[in-house]
Amino acid sequence: SQKIEQNSEALNIQEGKTATLTCNYTNYSPAYLQWYRQDPGRGPVFLLLIRENEKEKRKERLKVTFDTTLKQSLFHITASQPADSATYLCALENQAGTALIFGKGTTLSVSS
Amino acid sequence: NAGVMQNPRHLVRRRGQEARLRCSPMKGHSHVYWYRQLPEEGLKFMVYLQKENIIDESGMPKERFSAEFPKEGPSILRIQQVVRGDSAAYFCASSPPAPSGGVSGQFFGPGTRLTVL
């Protein structure tokens, strides 16, 4: 079955630095990978989707890469701000294409 | 355009009672998904429904749990004879007519926090 691992549970960085979060997966290769943000007590919010044939995707200060050979996605937040502090989840579609499988998330804390 | 709505936001039940969780998807969305999130664990898929059909219930326990998405009205996740281990946050998500959200992702509600005493 599909497995997703996010490399660390917590990441602490200083304001202005670039945060880099890692998502690794095993078994089959998905057609695309998604990233979500979750704040305490709230539901996840969709941020970005990257397809298997896209090496990189950008949205404002966010950048996602997708390496299907390494079976890895990197999520970058440049010029990080305290407001970026949240838990970030990566998600893949299951093999049947009927559901998302989520990683446990990485909790990012940006200090000023 | 209102987002995904879930109610109640908080639900307290005693062991053995029934819990009913409701979810109204975003307007125009015909796909509904239910997830459960336990403390210190990730979101776990439970069930995927379209109007009047269960498409995939592979993540839902076989006993005590059921889900529906009727032609009219919200989707309902029902837990009978609740036990303490059912205490969790239950999230509903919806997407446009594309499985797993396709290119637009899934839109999540605020969740229902179930506490079983």
Side-chain angles (χ1 to χ4, degrees), chain A residues 36 38 41 49 51 93 97-99, chain B residues 37 48 56 99 102-103 106 113:
Chain A
Y36 289 77
Q38 186 174 23
L49 177 148
R51 298 176 188 274
E93 193 177 56
T98 56
Chain B
Q37 189 171 43
Y48 162 39
D56 182 352
V103 298
Q106 294 184 6
R113 275 139 192 90

Side-chain angles (χ1 to χ4, degrees), chain A residues 26-27 30 32 36 45-46 53 64 68-70 75 77 106:
Chain A
T26 59
N27 298 334
Y32 51 80
Y36 289 77
V45 174
F46 172 73
N53 61 352
V64 173
T68 55
T69 302
L70 292 178
F75 177 82
I77 306 175
T106 296

Side-chain angles (χ1 to χ4, degrees), chain A residues 30-97:
Chain A
Y32 51 80
L33 183 146
Q34 303 181 25
W35 283 89
Y36 289 77
R37 168 182 172 143
Q38 186 174 23
D39 290 282
R42 300 195 164 200
V45 174
F46 172 73
L47 295 175
L48 278 170
L49 177 148
I50 185 165
R51 298 176 188 274
E52 60 177 341
N53 61 352
E54 296 176 316
K55 291 282 190 252
E56 183 180 297
K57 196 87 168 272
R58 289 176 186 262
K59 179 182 176 183
E60 297 173 354
R61 293 184 296 111
L62 308 180
K63 184 178 89 171
V64 173
T65 62
F66 194 9
D67 188 326
T68 55
T69 302
L70 292 178
K71 293 188 186 291
Q72 182 181 82
S73 175
L74 298 179
F75 177 82
H76 305 273
I77 306 175
T78 58
S80 59
Q81 305 166 0
D84 295 326
S85 299
T87 297
Y88 292 86
L89 309 170
C90 69
L92 294 173
E93 193 177 56
N94 67 359
Q95 208 157 4

